[in-house]
Amino acid sequence: MPYVAIAGNVGTGKTTLAGVLADRLQIDLMLESVDDNPYLSRFYEDMRAWVFHLNMYFLGTRSQQLLEAMNGARPCICDRSLYEDKLFVDMALTEGVTTAENYGTFRQLYDVLEVALPRPALLIYLSAPPDILAERVVSRGRPYEQGISLEYLVRLQRRYDAWINAYALSPVLRLDTTRTTWHGDEAAQASVTTAVAAALGIA
């Protein structure tokens, strides 16, 4: 079945929007493995030590989700795209957080999966200024995220800007979430729901 993926920097509202769309359209919801992730908190404590483990874990769990989507009975919405895994690994290599050997191992598997796995019917790209994202990260209070700095979000946003401008694997819907977190914003919810329904062929 077709699926829609949501992409964007930390704190842009991906998971919240995914939940809204799944509820409004009655489609399956596939969330990034966060609360049960054995590496995420350790990664933010020591990026160099855990970056390879985290990247491979995300690549594996995301690939499994996409395979389930292919065989599912209903369309689905994913709160992160497969393609962002490469974005994070590219950044880690450039900043010296991962080694060339680990990067090469990741790319061997990623390059196969990128071709083999289905592309989204629509990619929703969310964005907001990094200073606002930093405030949201603090306010939502996830313990493992409290070490995320504004500087990190700024660097990551530069990566996202370059990535989305070059992205050509599916249609893209760009949404600025500076003024919405989707909670109770009926107009914003209705607008994006209509676009997603059209992409998935839902009447």
Side-chain angles (χ1 to χ4, degrees):
M1 295 295 289
Y3 75 97
V4 168
I6 304 177
N9 204 341
V10 179
T12 49
K14 298 180 296 296
T15 301
T16 302
L17 178 58
V20 166
L21 291 170
D23 183 60
R24 292 178 70 108
L25 293 171
Q26 291 300 292
I27 58 178
D28 290 335
L29 175 63
M30 293 194 176
L31 300 178
E32 184 174 51
S33 176
V34 172
D35 293 335
D36 59 346
N37 189 315
Y39 303 113
L40 194 56
S41 61
R42 286 183 276 187
F43 167 74
Y44 284 120
E45 292 170 0
D46 187 345
M47 290 188 176
R48 285 181 174 82
W50 295 103
V51 63
F52 180 71
H53 303 75
L54 180 68
N55 290 331
M56 295 301 287
Y57 177 83
F58 273 139
L59 186 62
T61 55
R62 228 177 304 282
S63 300
Q64 184 177 17
Q65 287 181 333
L66 293 180
L67 288 173
E68 291 173 4
M70 287 174 61
N71 299 314
R74 301 192 300 178
C76 77
I77 181 90
C78 302
D79 71 340
R80 178 76 80 176
S81 73
L82 176 77
Y83 315 113
E84 290 165 276
D85 289 333
K86 180 178 176 294
L87 182 154
F88 280 94
V89 176
D90 285 346
M91 180 174 172
L93 179 67
T94 301
E95 297 192 351
V97 177
T98 195
T99 65
E101 292 81 6
N102 284 347
Y103 178 82
T105 299
F106 172 89
R107 283 299 302 271
Q108 258 189 322
L109 181 56
Y110 174 86
D111 289 348
V112 171
L113 293 171
E114 184 188 44
V115 174
L117 292 171
R119 295 176 180 179
L122 177 70
L123 181 84
I124 303 173
Y125 178 69
L126 307 183
S127 63
D131 59 326
I132 290 178
L133 301 181
E135 292 173 3
R136 291 177 183 172
V137 167
V138 171
S139 66
R140 68 188 182 186
R142 295 174 183 171
Y144 56 84
E145 289 185 340
Q146 297 313 300
I148 297 178
S149 67
L150 174 58
E151 291 74 18
Y152 175 79
L153 293 172
V154 168
R155 299 197 310 274
L156 187 55
Q157 188 59 53
R158 291 195 195 106
R159 293 273 172 177
Y160 266 107
D161 290 342
W163 171 75
I164 195 61
N165 287 334
Y167 179 85
L169 297 175
S170 68
V172 177
L173 174 63
R174 298 192 188 210
L175 299 174
D176 184 340
T177 65
T178 301
R179 292 181 174 82
T180 184
T181 57
W182 305 111
H183 296 289
D185 192 337
E186 176 61 29
Q189 289 184 19
S191 176
V192 69
T193 298
T194 299
V196 171
L200 293 174
I202 299 173

